[in-house]
Amino acid sequence: MTSNDDYALEVLLEENLVTSEQVDKAREALADGTEGISVVDYLIQKEVVQEKEALHAVAQRFGMETIDLADEEVPAESIALLDEDMARRYRVIPLFKQDNTLTVAIGDPLDVETLDSLRYMLKCNVEGLVATTKAIDAALNHYYADDSEMEKLMDNMTEDTVGMSATSSNEMAEDIDVTDSDVPIIKLVSLIIYEAQRNRASDVHLEPMEKRFRVRYRIDGVLHEVDSPPKRLQSAIISRVKIMANMKIAEKRVPQDGRIQVQVRGHWLDLRVSTVPASHGESIVMRILDKQSLALGLPKLGFLADDQETFGRLIQLADGILLVTGPTGSGKTTTLYACLNQINRPDRKIITVEDPVEYQLSGINQVHVREDIGLTFAAALRSILRQAPNIVMIGEIRDYETARIATEAALTGHLVFSTLHTNDAPSAVTRLLDIGVQPFLVASSIRGVMAQRLVRTICPSCREEVEPTKTEANFLKSVVGDNADIKNYKGRGCNKCALTGYSGRSGIFEIFIITDEIQRMIYDRRPANELRVRARENGMRTLREDGVRKVLSGFTSLEEVFRVTMGDEG
């Protein structure tokens, strides 16, 4: 028996609640991994077995009893034994306490970890009665709060209050702190930001649809829809966000950019805000920049030991260009900041050119690009090179002029860091050639290119080793060899990871070193696929191959690696 799910299936089969054929069909249906649920949950979802029957059978094996919360009225003094945050986090209902033993309703009879955690935190013995998760969720909403905080605020908003907050927007802009404290729409927007930060979201999407106003959080790189305000509040919410970001409220025809600084749970967040006119109103994205969550060190980026050593040597070079490539949201800027933090010393002058400056770094001169007044990347670069820096970081190489100045700076004794939007590392070379940089400049200035992606890491609280499917095993062996020790891990899903099986993100990398042979190939304008073949012969690992190493190490899952390396061959 390899997992709790296997144990539950064994019980259901022995109790004749399901048949072997039904289990096999369920496994076939879940083989591609798109459903993201266990076999038992799938059988319950398809009504092959009733959840109450399954829970009762498994609970009996554990010597536990079941309870129907719908037929029970839990007294208020029992509910008071556990605060709302803890009850919702562990998804339990306190039923009664006798002597030093608290009895709670729990949804999973196999979840001994929750009971152990409660024992540790409450400093008393905790025992469980088993109830369906649906009944527990209903009881949580019934006993602790009939509605969420957001729902309460929305219910309290009449047309009059919404109209007031929209029409008084100019006065709010004059002195937000004085007039905003009691306006419901302001509390609602603040709550949206608060919940985003609490759920570790990297950005918030406010999207006007035809008949609804959708709110989504991007958590660990994946968008999740949350409880959304009614359509009638759309205009007021958008106006409030634009006020906070110092945007023009009346201008709805063109995109706008702004910035919000707000204090949430004791520390400051910077929010980069952008609006785009859409068919049913202005779409808003707020990117959350949390300085306290910024990983400023190479070990925190997710390197394995050999790659960290290789990359560490590259960033210690005296001159040349080091490029980091990948799509938007792949962590390129965070990697550059980690590099600068690693090599920032009192005897070095470091200047960055960014659009915009995302994080303030101590001891580093940071220049904010302002294209509206002519301060472009190229113009800023020309000026800062007269400041005699040792190291220059360019937020992104977008055009020929910026690329030309960067290569000339590298050839005159400066170490230059920058990013490019390419899918893999060798393609960065052809990208620079395509925008007009001469091959001899590219070959002689670039020292290395690193492509990267972010993969979700398996939740440490519910990680378990699982048997790989035949297809997965064959693929893993094709990458690491037939004689390698094949291990495969997945997150079962728990309260700490919101039942996703993942918590946090880490990088996978492809490091392309420019050797003498590669320099000659660049000078001869050889295509990216030939550069890639030669680099692999010299020992370069692709993104997918590095991802597989982290699958075997238990950091992430094979499905996650496939998801972010969809275009990678192999």
Side-chain angles (χ1 to χ4, degrees):
M1 187 181 69
T2 60
S3 71
N4 290 343
D5 189 50
D6 290 334
Y7 182 85
L9 282 174
E10 184 179 305
V11 173
L12 297 182
L13 287 167
E14 289 180 6
E15 295 293 328
N16 295 319
L17 294 174
V18 296
T19 65
S20 300
E21 292 76 18
Q22 290 169 330
V23 172
D24 291 339
K25 286 182 180 179
R27 283 179 170 149
E28 288 176 13
L30 296 171
D32 61 357
T34 56
E35 295 285 344
I37 59 175
S38 68
V39 175
V40 173
D41 288 338
Y42 181 84
L43 291 170
I44 292 171
Q45 191 179 94
K46 296 299 181 181
E47 298 183 343
V48 175
V49 61
Q50 294 297 315
E51 186 179 11
K52 284 184 180 180
E53 293 179 340
L55 282 175
H56 183 72
V58 177
Q60 276 195 323
R61 287 293 180 94
F62 261 64
M64 298 174 70
E65 298 179 6
T66 57
I67 183 173
D68 190 346
L69 288 175
D71 297 335
E72 298 281 339
E73 185 61 33
V74 183
E77 56 268 24
S78 294
I79 296 298
L81 294 171
L82 207 59
D83 65 65
E84 181 178 353
D85 284 344
M86 193 177 294
R88 290 189 182 277
R89 188 192 319 160
Y90 292 103
R91 219 175 182 182
V92 295
I93 297 293
L95 299 173
F96 56 88
K97 188 173 184 180
Q98 189 171 9
D99 297 327
N100 197 41
T101 299
L102 174 66
T103 300
V104 300
I106 188 170
D108 185 358
L110 302 173
D111 188 9
V112 294
E113 184 183 22
T114 287
L115 296 178
D116 286 339
S117 298
L118 288 171
R119 289 185 188 109
Y120 174 78
M121 297 179 72
L122 298 175
K123 309 299 182 188
C124 69
N125 187 34
V126 180
E127 293 181 351
L129 297 181
V130 182
T132 65
T133 53
K134 188 175 180 180
I136 288 176
D137 290 342
L140 285 169
N141 291 329
H142 174 69
Y143 292 112
Y144 285 103
D146 292 332
D147 298 298
S148 69
E149 188 72 20
M150 187 179 293
E151 288 170 339
K152 286 180 180 177
L153 282 171
M154 291 187 296
D155 289 342
N156 290 332
M157 289 181 195
T158 65
E159 296 295 336
D160 292 336
T161 58
V162 174
M164 177 195 67
S165 32
T167 56
S168 61
S169 56
N170 290 330
E171 289 117 357
M172 292 179 196
E174 294 291 330
D175 194 345
I176 295 174
D177 291 335
V178 173
T179 61
D180 281 1
S181 59
D182 295 321
V183 180
I185 201 72
I186 292 161
K187 294 181 181 178
L188 177 54
V189 172
S190 298
L191 184 64
I192 290 172
I193 296 172
Y194 171 83
E195 287 295 317
Q197 195 271 345
R198 191 174 68 86
N199 285 288
R200 301 180 297 104
S202 60
D203 44 63
V204 180
H205 295 249
L206 307 177
E207 302 166 315
M209 304 283 106
E210 183 179 3
K211 295 182 179 179
R212 63 193 184 104
F213 184 54
R214 182 167 67 177
V215 178
R216 293 194 290 175
Y217 297 154
R218 191 183 297 279
I219 303 170
D220 294 336
V222 178
L223 283 169
H224 298 268
E225 187 167 349
V226 298
D227 291 338
S228 300
K231 180 74 172 176
R232 62 185 173 84
L233 302 185
Q234 173 181 310
S235 177
I237 291 173
I238 291 174
S239 293
R240 169 59 184 164
V241 173
K242 291 171 74 174
I243 290 169
M244 295 173 71
N246 291 318
M247 296 178 179
K248 297 178 181 177
I249 304 170
E251 182 57 79
K252 302 178 181 179
R253 301 164 299 172
V254 297
Q256 296 187 67
D257 292 307
R259 199 155 194 160
I260 298 171
Q261 191 174 61
V262 63
Q263 191 173 30
V264 177
R265 299 205 296 177
H267 62 274
W268 289 95
L269 300 180
D270 283 329
L271 279 67
R272 277 174 49 190
V273 185
S274 66
T275 69
V276 174
S279 301
H280 306 290
E282 290 177 281
S283 175
I284 292 182
V285 174
M286 295 184 284
R287 185 178 179 191
I288 301 172
L289 305 174
D290 186 355
K291 296 177 183 178
Q292 293 185 345
S293 67
L294 183 65
L296 288 179
L298 294 186
K300 295 181 181 179
L301 298 178
F303 286 109
L304 294 179
D306 52 352
D307 280 345
Q308 184 175 325
E309 182 182 354
T310 301
F311 192 67
R313 286 200 308 270
L314 285 175
I315 67 174
Q316 295 293 342
L317 294 174
D319 57 22
I321 297 177
L322 179 62
L323 294 172
V324 180
T325 76
T328 301
S330 58
K332 301 186 297 297
T333 303
T334 300
T335 297
L336 290 183
Y337 280 143
C339 294
L340 296 182
N341 189 66
Q342 185 90 358
I343 60 179
N344 185 16
R345 297 202 309 257
D347 61 337
R348 290 175 172 172
K349 184 177 180 73
I350 302 175
I351 303 181
T352 73
V353 185
E354 305 172 63
D355 183 20
V357 173
E358 294 192 1
Y359 297 98
Q360 297 289 340
L361 299 178
S362 177
I364 294 177
N365 302 280
Q366 295 174 269
V367 179
H368 182 183
V369 168
R370 291 278 306 277
E371 296 198 5
D372 56 331
I373 60 172
L375 186 60
T376 62
F377 275 109
L381 266 177
R382 279 192 293 267
S383 298
I384 68 173
L385 289 178
R386 291 194 287 271
Q387 298 273 313
N390 303 103
I391 298 159
V392 176
M393 191 268 270
I394 308 168
E396 182 185 349
I397 294 178
R398 299 177 178 176
D399 52 39
Y400 167 73
E401 188 68 11
T402 305
R404 182 184 64 79
I405 297 172
T407 54
E408 289 177 357
L411 294 174
T412 54
H414 302 86
L415 181 60
V416 179
F417 294 95
S418 191
T419 69
L420 273 179
H421 285 273
T422 62
N423 287 330
D424 62 0
S427 296
V429 170
T430 53
R431 171 67 178 148
L432 290 175
L433 296 176
D434 288 343
I435 63 177
V437 184
Q438 293 298 317
F440 72 91
L441 287 175
V442 175
S444 54
S445 63
I446 296 182
R447 298 290 181 262
V449 183
M450 184 175 77
Q452 71 176 63
R453 299 288 189 277
L454 291 177
V455 293
R456 291 181 292 172
T457 53
I458 298 173
C459 173
S461 298
C462 61
R463 189 185 75 168
E464 58 188 12
E465 186 176 347
V466 296
E467 192 71 28
T469 65
K470 187 176 180 180
T471 303
E472 290 172 337
N474 289 338
F475 175 77
L476 291 170
K477 288 179 180 178
S478 72
V479 175
V480 297
D482 291 337
N483 297 324
D485 183 19
I486 299 298
K487 292 184 178 180
N488 191 29
Y489 299 87
K490 288 185 180 178
R492 183 177 66 253
C494 64
N495 293 324
K496 293 182 180 178
C497 62
L499 303 178
T500 63
Y502 297 99
S503 179
R505 288 192 292 175
S506 184
I508 57 174
F509 307 98
E510 176 179 288
I511 303 177
F512 177 47
I513 305 294
I514 308 299
T515 62
D516 292 342
E517 183 181 11
I518 296 293
Q519 280 186 327
R520 289 192 293 271
M521 294 178 71
I522 295 172
Y523 189 80
D524 293 336
R525 287 185 177 270
R526 305 302 286 271
N529 61 327
E530 291 188 25
L531 296 176
R532 185 179 182 84
V533 168
R534 179 60 63 196
R536 294 194 67 186
E537 290 173 354
N538 292 339
M540 183 187 81
R541 275 184 294 270
T542 66
L543 287 163
R544 183 166 285 186
E545 288 167 343
D546 189 49
V548 166
R549 292 202 303 162
K550 286 163 184 174
V551 169
L552 298 177
S553 300
F555 287 113
T556 189
S557 66
L558 196 55
E559 293 92 340
E560 186 67 8
V561 172
F562 281 144
R563 182 180 70 84
V564 302
T565 61
M566 197 71 71
D568 191 25
E569 294 181 7

